[in-house]
């Protein structure tokens, strides 16, 4: 809230005053409790996995967000987590292809979050955070972000290449490559906002590609 407020992120409902902060806390606690109970009904492994994520959620705003890379890595883990959760919901053994898909999601998520952190530097400074862009600078952060995204693109062509997987993978990877080009070219706010939109569209295509791979 403090970071978004400092960055004048009025697109965020709590900052814009559309949702009361106290109500948001009550809703979050209720949803955490109900969610954990439902995961317990699935099996004990996914319950423990969910419990770890909930604990990290509480640690994120108070601790992880203020550390270089740690907060970004946690958000990226939330993008990879559903694949691992789904695996353990149906099997006690971790499937290697599922692990690969989770790794791709993690790398894209980490690259994306680093670019998002570039947009929040001023607000993060005001809450005493020490994020990676403050240490490496904007250009080096963009280079590191691009490295993670390119690594994800390389890994994306390693699963069995079914026709529909390729159909949706092509726009996904092209959008990710466009993100890398934009991020390395300029780190101004407009470019970073475009990168955010490109990666969001790429993630959508990627999920459909993963689904096509699963049913093929």
């Amino acid at each position: 809230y403090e970071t978004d407020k400092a960055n004048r992120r009025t697109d965020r409902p709590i900052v814009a005053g559309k949702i009361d902060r106290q109500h948001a806390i009550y809703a979050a606690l209720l949803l955490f409790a109900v969610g954990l109970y439902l995961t317990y009904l699935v099996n004990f492994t996914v319950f423990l996995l969910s419990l770890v994520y909930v604990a990290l959620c509480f640690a994120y705003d108070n601790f992880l967000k203020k550390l270089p890379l740690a907060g970004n890595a946690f958000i990226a883990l939330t993008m990879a987590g559903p694949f691992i959760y789904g695996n353990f919901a149906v099997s006690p053994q971790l499937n290697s292809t599922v692990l690969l898909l989770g790794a791709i999601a993690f790398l894209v998520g980490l690259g994306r979050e680093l670019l998002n952190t570039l947009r929040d530097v001023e607000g993060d400074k005001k809450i005493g955070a020490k994020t990676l862009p403050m240490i490496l600078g904007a250009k080096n952060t963009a280079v590191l972000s691009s490295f993670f995204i390119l690594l994800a693109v390389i890994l994306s062509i390693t699963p069995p290449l079914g026709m529909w997987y390729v159909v949706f993978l092509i726009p996904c990877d092209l959008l990710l490559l466009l993100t890398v080009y934009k991020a390395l070219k300029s780190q101004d706010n407009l470019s970073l906002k475009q990168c955010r939109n490109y990666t969001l569209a790429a993630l959508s295509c990627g999920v459909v590609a993963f689904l096509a791979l699963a049913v093929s």
Side-chain angles (χ1 to χ4, degrees), residues 12-39:
R12 301 287 174 87
I14 295 179
V15 175
K18 296 177 181 178
I19 297 177
D20 182 78
R21 292 181 71 187
Q22 204 66 32
H23 292 166
I25 291 174
Y26 293 148
L29 292 174
L30 176 63
L31 291 169
F32 276 136
V34 173
L36 284 172
Y37 173 71
L38 293 175
T39 63

Side-chain angles (χ1 to χ4, degrees), residues 49 53 75-88 98 102 105-106:
L49 184 64
Y53 270 82
I75 299 298
L77 279 174
T78 66
M79 298 180 186
F83 298 99
I84 309 302
Y85 177 98
N87 183 120
F88 286 122
V98 173
F106 173 79

Side-chain angles (χ1 to χ4, degrees), residues 38-121:
L38 293 175
T39 63
Y40 182 76
L41 297 180
V42 178
N43 62 55
F44 194 64
T45 301
V46 297
F47 169 73
L48 288 179
L49 184 64
S50 301
L51 190 63
V52 169
Y53 270 82
V54 169
L56 289 172
C57 282
F58 281 97
Y60 174 73
D61 231 31
N62 294 315
F63 181 63
L64 295 177
K65 181 179 172 62
K66 299 176 182 180
L67 298 176
L69 202 59
N72 307 118
F74 166 64
I75 299 298
L77 279 174
T78 66
M79 298 180 186
F83 298 99
I84 309 302
Y85 177 98
N87 183 120
F88 286 122
V90 298
S91 172
Q93 302 298 323
L94 183 59
N95 182 280
S96 58
T97 302
V98 173
L99 184 60
L100 174 62
L101 300 184
I104 294 169
F106 173 79
L107 289 168
V108 174
L110 185 55
R112 185 175 189 269
E113 283 304 307
L114 286 175
L115 293 179
N116 286 342
T117 305
L118 275 173
R119 298 181 65 195
D120 296 335
V121 168

Side-chain angles (χ1 to χ4, degrees), residues 173-190:
D173 283 353
L174 287 176
L175 284 165
L176 292 176
L177 292 174
L178 180 58
T179 299
V180 168
Y181 169 75
K182 276 280 187 181
L184 293 178
K185 184 179 180 182
S186 174
Q187 295 83 48
D188 62 33
N189 193 59
L190 177 60

Side-chain angles (χ1 to χ4, degrees), residues 152-202:
V153 170
I154 294 170
L155 288 179
S156 71
I157 62 175
T158 58
L161 299 180
M163 182 185 73
W164 288 110
Y165 176 71
V166 173
V167 166
F168 291 103
L169 180 67
I170 289 173
C172 172
D173 283 353
L174 287 176
L175 284 165
L176 292 176
L177 292 174
L178 180 58
T179 299
V180 168
Y181 169 75
K182 276 280 187 181
L184 293 178
K185 184 179 180 182
S186 174
Q187 295 83 48
D188 62 33
N189 193 59
L190 177 60
S191 296
L192 293 173
K193 185 176 181 180
Q194 290 173 334
C195 288
R196 177 184 179 277
N197 293 335
Y198 293 151
T199 53
L200 189 61

